[in-house]
Amino acid sequence: MARDGRPNQILTRRTALTTGAAGALAALAGPALGAAPELELDGKLVQSGFAIGRTTPRAHVYVDGKPIDQASAEGLFVVGFDRDAPSQVTIRVVAKGGEVSRVLDIAKTAYDIQRIDGLPQDQVTPTDPALLARIHAEALRKAVGFASDVDSDNFRNGFIMPVKATRQSSRFGGQRILNGVPMTPHYGADLAAPIGTPVVAPAPGVVSFAETGLHYEGGLIMIDHGQGLISLYLHLSKVLVSKGDMVNRGQLIGEVGMEGRATGPHLCWRLKWHGRNLDPTLLVGARAPQL
Ligand SMILES: [Zn+2]
């Protein structure tokens, strides 16, 4: 992607150099004087995609005017685009010496419509008070996992696939109609594989949630990769890590199952970024911009 802000910055430095002794002294003081931070961006600029940025370490990152996070100690950050992201997203980076903004054009993604019939009704519109209480308690525990915010940039080398899948049985973002009832879109990539197939961490991270027996998800693991990026693994028959564990890329974390709301054995792989739902498969093979 093209660099930004450079011509203006050079102009600023030249102006400083021609304003006599004071200007020359200021110029010697280094690039902090009025220098906009560097900003390199790479990624998949589509709805449900992402950008990985490299800028001044610990610079403040804003997306569409909203403060998001500080870049990592290496200056890396990630920005996720929602399933229905608008056609333009503005990223602004503010460091000590100045700031730089970039407007990104986000391409539209076409989503499938998925009809699934024959599900037990308590998996679609539960009404039993005891079950509703259980689902609520599970949601509160999951919220703690989503709120994890580890200070790292473990997404820097992108993802590998977490499972050797036979096929992708449903793509991210499909509009779901379950037993005839329109639901929220499917925020996962479903990877079909037999029960017991090993599931590995696609990138290093810290386990922020690990439980079995959840009503909708069955066995569920969340991994915090830093900068608000949290990946999820649903319907697992076995969970082989615990909350707080540090996992490495390729490390065994669980086994494929069909627990919870699932009609066949598969891994439902999901990715969250500050509450937004991203397509995790888009991060496979991605890399942070190099120095
Ligand atoms: Zn799924």
Side-chain angles (χ1 to χ4, degrees), residues 1 16 32 81 88 151 153 167 169:
M1 238 171 281
F81 311 123
Q88 289 196 323
D151 179 16
D153 47 25
R167 68 199 166 88
S169 48

Side-chain angles (χ1 to χ4, degrees), residues 69-110:
D69 223 330
Q70 276 180 276
S72 74
E74 301 275 324
L76 293 178
F77 66 93
V78 65
V79 173
F81 311 123
D82 222 342
R83 176 187 183 272
D84 301 301
S87 58
Q88 289 196 323
V89 168
T90 303
I91 295 177
R92 182 168 145 244
V93 165
V94 180
K96 257 200 189 106
E99 62 174 81
V100 60
S101 290
R102 185 88 47 84
V103 178
L104 304 178
D105 291 320
I106 308 301
K108 258 190 159 351
T109 298

Side-chain angles (χ1 to χ4, degrees), residues 170 176 186-190 234-235 266-270:
S170 96
R176 282 204 151 167
H186 175 231
Y187 292 124
D190 284 349
L234 285 74
H235 311 306
H266 73 284
L267 174 69
C268 182
W269 187 23
R270 301 188 177 202

Side-chain angles (χ1 to χ4, degrees), residues 211-223:
E211 283 193 27
T212 54
L214 297 172
H215 178 68
Y216 289 121
E217 298 89 351
L220 170 66
I221 295 171
M222 300 184 194
I223 302 177

Side-chain angles (χ1 to χ4, degrees), residues 14 26 43 55 87 103 128 138 166 196 217 222 231 278:
R14 276 193 192 134
T55 184
S87 58
V103 178
D128 173 43
E138 290 177 357
T166 50
E217 298 89 351
M222 300 184 194
S231 62
L278 317 183

Side-chain angles (χ1 to χ4, degrees), residues 142 145-146 199-202 205-214 217-225 230-245 247 251-256 267-271:
K142 285 186 284 182
F146 286 129
V199 177
V200 302
V206 175
V207 175
S208 65
F209 187 96
E211 283 193 27
T212 54
L214 297 172
E217 298 89 351
L220 170 66
I221 295 171
M222 300 184 194
I223 302 177
D224 183 345
H225 303 284
I230 294 176
S231 62
L232 287 81
Y233 308 81
L234 285 74
H235 311 306
L236 301 170
S237 60
K238 279 194 183 150
V239 169
L240 302 172
V241 288
S242 305
K243 191 174 171 175
D245 285 356
V247 294
Q251 183 179 330
L252 182 67
I253 58 170
E255 292 181 5
V256 169
L267 174 69
C268 182
W269 187 23
R270 301 188 177 202
L271 186 63

Side-chain angles (χ1 to χ4, degrees), residues 276-288:
R276 295 182 178 180
N277 297 288
L278 317 183
D279 181 350
T281 65
L282 295 179
L283 257 139
V284 174
R287 277 181 78 82

